[in-house]
Amino acid sequence: MSDYIISCCTIADLNKEHFEARDIKYACMRYSIGDEQYADDLGVSVPYHEFYERMAAGEITHTSQINPVEYMEYFKSIMEGDKPIIHLTLSSGLTGTFNSARAGAGMLMDDYPNLKIFVVDSLGASSGAGLLVDAMADRRDEGMSIEELYDWTLENRLKLNHWFFSTDLKYYVRGGRISKTEGFVGSMLKICPLCNMDNEGHLIPREKVRTKKKVISTIVERMEQYAEGGLDYSGKCFVSHSDCYEDARAVADLVEEKFPKLKGKVEINYIGTIVGSHTGPGTVALFFWGRERTE
């Protein structure tokens, strides 16, 4: 039994069984699709496949972050006496969640002076934040103190590499990331944008790759280039996808073929409703430990 609690937001995009097996608590953000609002509850209220089908059919989605009072109530709900809590948030480069979590934690600590809550900005998203919080659970289980874990997470979060590609430009146009003309031309040319997360936790377009087959090989080439140890990489690898399992499986198969020392099989998860509201269907993301992000 650990003497502290690890927590994160559901944007870490791990499944319920994974969270429970690693003894990681989670806070649910909110989203709306059509006229209804839901908790981002790991696909319980709206199964992921249904969510992406509805997006593909034209239903509009919106997301909302957890406000400070809601964070305070969440932290209170997972309290176990005076056990300290360490909580990992979605990147501050994408949302104000980190500041809201810190404010909520401060409010609760005002009421419970013996309680300590450490809030960490993941500078990541989706199963990249999931791979980070999974590593935090490893170190907790190895006996690392919460103060040591807080320092370790801050020192290592930028070594978590995030790479994404999308095969449907419609959601780039809808989100204002590219113009309608660029989207039309890109679709005609079968352009699949390849993006990654920079050192401030922003999603940055890096390359325009033609065809799905080529972008699948290119994203794995980036892992060869940036992974710790190159082709001798021996850490874990996670992949997430927005209702395009076959594409995610193709990436995972190529990773497993090229990295024989990988720790276990590639874990494949859905991109959840919060990140997925912005990517839309057709996105695959690859996460691994490697060269520190510096730009």
Side-chain angles (χ1 to χ4, degrees):
M1 179 79 68
S2 172
D3 61 357
Y4 58 89
I5 297 164
I6 293 181
S7 171
C8 65
C9 301
T10 46
I11 54 81
D13 289 347
L14 303 176
N15 59 45
K16 184 177 181 181
E17 292 75 23
H18 193 136
F19 281 125
E20 291 178 348
R22 300 312 313 272
D23 192 19
I24 299 169
K25 309 299 183 185
Y26 53 87
C28 300
M29 296 176 71
R30 294 184 305 278
Y31 69 96
S32 62
I33 184 165
D35 297 325
E36 298 293 331
Q37 188 175 82
Y38 303 93
D40 175 38
D41 55 6
L42 308 177
V44 174
S45 296
V46 179
Y48 291 130
H49 179 64
E50 177 186 333
F51 172 79
Y52 287 112
E53 276 194 329
R54 290 172 65 177
M55 282 193 78
E59 291 194 59
I60 302 300
T61 62
H62 299 282
T63 60
S64 58
Q65 65 185 45
I66 305 170
N67 65 45
V69 172
E70 291 168 328
Y71 264 119
M72 179 185 69
E73 293 172 347
Y74 165 71
F75 289 133
K76 188 173 183 178
S77 75
I78 65 171
M79 282 174 55
E80 297 177 15
D82 291 332
K83 274 189 178 183
I85 299 168
I86 184 167
H87 180 80
L88 188 72
T89 72
L90 177 61
S91 171
S92 61
L94 301 175
T95 176
T97 298
F98 171 62
N99 289 330
S100 293
R102 282 202 304 179
M107 293 162 63
L108 190 61
M109 287 188 287
D110 287 342
D111 292 339
Y112 295 87
N114 293 327
L115 177 65
K116 291 183 179 180
I117 303 176
F118 299 81
V119 178
V120 183
D121 180 357
S122 72
L123 295 177
S126 191
S127 296
L131 186 50
L132 181 56
V133 79
D134 184 76
M136 291 167 66
D138 285 339
R139 280 144 188 84
R140 174 204 60 200
D141 295 348
E142 291 166 1
M144 187 175 280
S145 71
I146 193 170
E147 291 84 5
E148 291 171 329
L149 181 59
Y150 176 72
D151 291 341
W152 179 90
T153 306
L154 292 179
E155 290 169 5
N156 288 276
R157 59 187 173 175
L158 290 177
K159 295 176 184 175
L160 206 298
N161 284 232
H162 300 57
W163 287 88
F164 303 75
F165 71 76
S166 296
T167 58
D168 189 341
L169 299 183
K170 174 170 54 181
Y171 302 94
Y172 280 67
V173 174
R174 182 181 295 175
R177 292 189 290 275
I178 62 175
S179 69
K180 289 183 179 180
T181 300
E182 289 173 318
F184 175 76
V185 173
S187 296
M188 291 290 291
L189 296 176
K190 298 182 179 180
I191 297 295
C192 300
L194 182 63
C195 310
N196 75 349
M197 299 289 282
D198 68 8
N199 61 329
E200 295 181 342
H202 303 112
L203 187 61
I204 305 295
R206 298 295 186 183
E207 301 177 54
K208 296 177 180 178
V209 183
R210 286 195 65 187
T211 77
K212 183 193 298 185
K213 181 178 180 181
K214 178 62 176 176
V215 79
I216 287 172
S217 64
T218 301
I219 199 172
V220 179
E221 288 170 7
R222 296 297 162 267
M223 184 171 173
E224 293 179 40
Q225 181 179 356
Y226 291 103
E228 184 178 37
L231 292 173
D232 288 327
Y233 178 69
S234 58
K236 291 182 180 179
C237 177
F238 289 177
V239 169
S240 58
H241 69 96
S242 53
D243 210 34
C244 48
Y245 176 81
E246 290 185 0
D247 296 341
R249 184 69 261 171
V251 171
D253 287 345
L254 194 54
V255 168
E256 290 171 1
E257 174 188 331
K258 286 182 172 287
F259 298 86
K261 297 181 181 179
L262 202 67
K263 187 174 182 179
K265 295 291 187 179
V266 175
E267 180 175 320
I268 300 177
N269 295 291
Y270 260 102
I271 294 174
T273 53
I274 300 301
V275 176
S277 290
H278 302 281
T279 69
T283 294
V284 174
L286 174 65
F287 309 100
F288 55 88
W289 292 98
R291 189 185 307 176
E292 184 168 341
R293 290 179 269 152
T294 57
E295 60 180 14

